[in-house]
Amino acid sequence: MAGWLLSASRQRRVKAMTAAAGSAGRAAVPLLLCALLAPGGAYVLDDSDGLGREFDGIGAVSGGGATSRLLVNYPEPYRSQILDYLFKPNFGASLHILKVEIGGDGQTTDGTEPSHMHYALDENYFRGYEWWLMKEAKKRNPNITLIGLPWSFPGWLGKGFDWPYVNLQLTAYYVVTWIVGAKRYHDLDIDYIGIWNERSYNANYIKILRKMLNSQGLQQVKIIASDNLWESISAAMLLDAELFKVVDVIGAHYPGTHSVKDARLTGKKLWSSEDFSTLNSDTGAGCWGRILNQNYVNGYMTSTIAWNLVASYYEQLPYGRCGLMTAQEPWSGHYVVESPVWVSAHTTQFTQPGWYYLKTVGHLEKGGSYVALTDGLGNLTIIIETMSHKHSKCIRPFLPYFNVSQQFATFVLKGSFSEIPELQVWYTKLGKTSERFLFKQLDSLWLLDSNGSFTLKLQEDELFTLTTLTTGRKGSYLLPPKSQHFPSTYKDDFNVDYPFFSEAPNFADQTGVFEYFTNMEDPGEHHFTLRQVLNQRPITWAADASNTISIIGDYNWTNLTIKCDVYIETPDTGGVFIAGRVNKGGILIRSARGIFFWIFANGSYRVTGDLAGWIIYALGRVEVIAKKWYTLTLTIKGRFASGMLNDKSLWTDIPVNFPKNGWAAIGTHSFEFAQFDNFHVEATR
């Protein structure tokens, strides 16, 4: 038997070495056994002296904000395929963690997400799409960790101030109702809760939140603080015993792979609770691969969470395509499984929360890093990355220069790993198309006659995973449909009796919240409408506009006609608009330019070149009052625009030189109730 094993080992070794030489059908990856040792670094992987920190998982953020907005509108089977690539174990990114925005009605990067409590006496646990997304993630991975975090808050919590800590008990109650509602209405157990994304924390609020969670039987829900920088929260915890006790995880954003001394002194779990935020090109994948390893090697962070999960928002909004994958065309069904998905798989498919890092992790002699993790039951996973400086820059923070060059690296397995007979090998090479491989399985590495050591030839921008697990898989589906532009003719009458989602397809709210509405006062043509439902400015996270606005369509539209029925609900001061060529959104929405056609309940109209209303093209009197339906038509062709009210010309041929293109939009003059119906666009690029 021993002779047979040795013979088999030699045969496998020859196969591996042949693969390394670039034989047909294999990647040209020089993967050598110890018999071909060359000068280079030697790295011992050993558990004899105990283990390092407990691994808590790799995840991604949906929200912060509205980053999954277009995903819900995808037709099947493509929507399910996208979700499989993100969450299905041993298939794609196979994420361990899903972090979602607790919608607060405010602009939080690429749009607004609706709150479950728009008003003090209002509760609705079916708004938005984060509930749906969490259930879809759980359906694929019942063990996935769920995290909730507020970015903005509904205005009533501030009692007139743009601040969520005016009444600490009230804000804690608001957050706890979200957790309770997740369980009651969706059978979702929230595992972690955050404080206020990248904004001030309040130590007394955190303590009150813990007490209120406990009073509701939610002792198992843990608290992350403060989703900002390391320094303030960790120093405060060292000085405040009660605060120290109630914070379970210190979460920092974009830490640049480093933590600080005070954070480490707490002995608490350290997470990069938001990271990445980089275009999902191969450079973005390089960024992701580098920080997944080095967040632990340099900073002892046991979880890294990417912003964002999937780029499902109009690409010209801020941070376009900064998701692990891209799904921004529900009208065509087209999506792209980007390289960060497969970089994720190098870690996620071969580890699980509850595994432990080895103490023996570190940097490679000529650049790059390695980590190793074990489940304590004999399994071992080693992840090696050699991402170059040029091809692994993240969007933030600044990355000091470093050098990576070709090297031989010898790894020696000791302790309980010394008898491991075989390691599966998975490989990624980023960069030039001719050399590029994504998550490719190579021949396994046999160690029976190598004294537990092996040598790899490593080059720039590579990822290796070597593991005892045999469950890895590069999942795939047939190619999705080809990319298409947004339809040049688009209509929506909002006639949906029981909508599955609260928002109309493809509309992306940028300030305010627009929801399907059943108009009980009108059993006729306008029984089902789209309604702007906020009557108070939220506690903001970003620079929300003073007007509400929802965009739709193709950013490259130039000539278009927009027609929509509108209904002002606020007498005297109310107003609504339709618009074309809107050129900005997200956190830049306040400065949006375009052609905006307004009517007001005081009997006036206005045409402006910006959302804020500073650039006035035309104004005048018109027979308009509140509580009555009107039809607005805006036509933009070349350098001129015209408008009609109830199909009668109101203003014509106003010169409009800027912008040249942009989205269509609807909205209101202020945070006020208003309704829209029979939306129709005819456009050309």
Side-chain angles (χ1 to χ4, degrees), residues 195-454:
I195 308 306
W196 188 13
N197 183 74
E198 295 175 355
R199 298 295 182 264
S200 301
Y201 69 89
N202 180 296
N204 289 328
Y205 167 73
I206 298 173
K207 297 169 189 176
I208 287 169
L209 178 61
R210 178 73 271 164
K211 290 175 182 175
M212 197 170 291
L213 288 167
N214 293 348
S215 71
Q216 294 296 314
L218 297 169
Q219 290 86 350
Q220 79 283 0
V221 178
K222 297 178 180 178
I223 291 177
I224 306 175
S226 65
D227 282 294
N228 200 341
L229 302 176
W230 297 115
E231 286 80 0
S232 179
I233 186 67
S234 52
M237 289 169 63
L238 292 173
L239 296 171
D240 184 332
E242 186 181 354
L243 181 64
F244 179 90
K245 183 179 179 182
V246 299
V247 173
D248 299 284
V249 174
I250 302 178
H253 287 195
Y254 307 95
T257 76
H258 293 278
S259 54
V260 299
K261 183 179 179 181
D262 280 353
R264 295 190 295 273
L265 281 174
T266 65
K268 296 284 187 175
K269 290 178 177 292
L270 308 180
W271 288 9
S272 178
S273 51
E274 184 179 313
D275 219 323
F276 182 60
S277 189
T278 302
L279 183 71
N280 55 26
S281 62
D282 273 14
T283 298
C287 152
W288 187 229
R290 178 174 55 79
I291 64 178
L292 284 180
N293 265 22
Q294 295 193 27
N295 275 348
Y296 186 76
V297 171
N298 299 337
Y300 300 101
M301 287 165 262
T302 54
S303 175
T304 298
I305 301 174
W307 188 90
N308 57 67
L309 174 71
V310 54
S312 271
Y313 46 98
Y314 291 113
E315 187 171 340
Q316 294 82 6
L317 288 169
Y319 306 102
R321 278 188 51 207
C322 284
L324 296 180
M325 63 181 291
T326 304
Q328 57 192 20
E329 291 186 22
W331 48 88
S332 71
H334 179 74
Y335 63 86
V336 183
V337 185
E338 310 280 7
S339 47
V341 165
W342 303 117
V343 167
S344 304
H346 272 275
T347 298
T348 57
Q349 290 202 20
F350 308 108
T351 59
Q352 286 297 323
W355 283 43
Y356 279 81
Y357 284 98
L358 272 59
K359 289 181 178 178
T360 49
V361 301
H363 289 276
L364 298 169
E365 188 177 282
K366 295 188 177 180
S369 65
Y370 64 97
V371 296
L373 301 96
T374 181
D375 62 355
L377 302 173
N379 283 308
L380 175 69
T381 291
I382 308 160
I383 305 128
I384 303 159
E385 61 82 21
T386 57
M387 298 303 156
S388 64
H389 183 271
K390 181 179 180 180
H391 296 129
S392 71
K393 288 181 183 177
C394 304
I395 197 168
R396 67 179 75 86
F398 172 77
L399 181 63
Y401 183 76
F402 60 87
N403 187 57
V404 176
S405 57
Q406 179 178 299
Q407 59 193 303
F408 290 92
T410 299
F411 292 87
V412 183
L413 307 187
K414 291 193 173 181
S416 68
F417 310 121
S418 61
E419 307 267 331
I420 288 176
E422 182 181 14
L423 291 172
Q424 308 298 312
V425 183
W426 291 83
Y427 174 71
T428 287
K429 170 72 172 178
L430 301 172
K432 297 178 183 176
T433 304
S434 59
E435 302 172 354
R436 188 172 182 260
F437 293 95
L438 294 175
F439 199 56
K440 183 177 182 66
Q441 187 170 17
L442 305 181
D443 283 329
S444 58
L445 187 59
W446 278 69
L447 307 174
L448 283 175
D449 54 353
S450 67
N451 296 318
S453 69
F454 58 91

Side-chain angles (χ1 to χ4, degrees), residues 101-108 112-119 148-159 161-168 170-178 193-202 205 209 513 534 536-542 544 671:
E101 176 179 351
I102 300 175
D105 295 335
Q107 169 62 247
T108 54
T112 68
E113 296 204 23
S115 171
H116 62 289
M117 297 179 72
H118 292 318
Y119 331 109
L149 174 66
W151 267 250
S152 66
F153 296 84
W156 60 271
L157 284 172
K159 297 186 178 296
F161 295 91
D162 193 28
W163 191 243
Y165 304 130
V166 173
N167 184 323
L168 303 183
L170 193 61
T171 299
Y173 167 79
Y174 166 80
V175 170
V176 170
T177 60
W178 184 87
I193 195 73
I195 308 306
W196 188 13
N197 183 74
E198 295 175 355
R199 298 295 182 264
S200 301
Y201 69 89
N202 180 296
Y205 167 73
L209 178 61
V513 174
L534 299 190
Q536 185 176 2
R537 186 178 181 83
I539 296 171
T540 58
W541 183 82
D544 294 58
F671 288 92

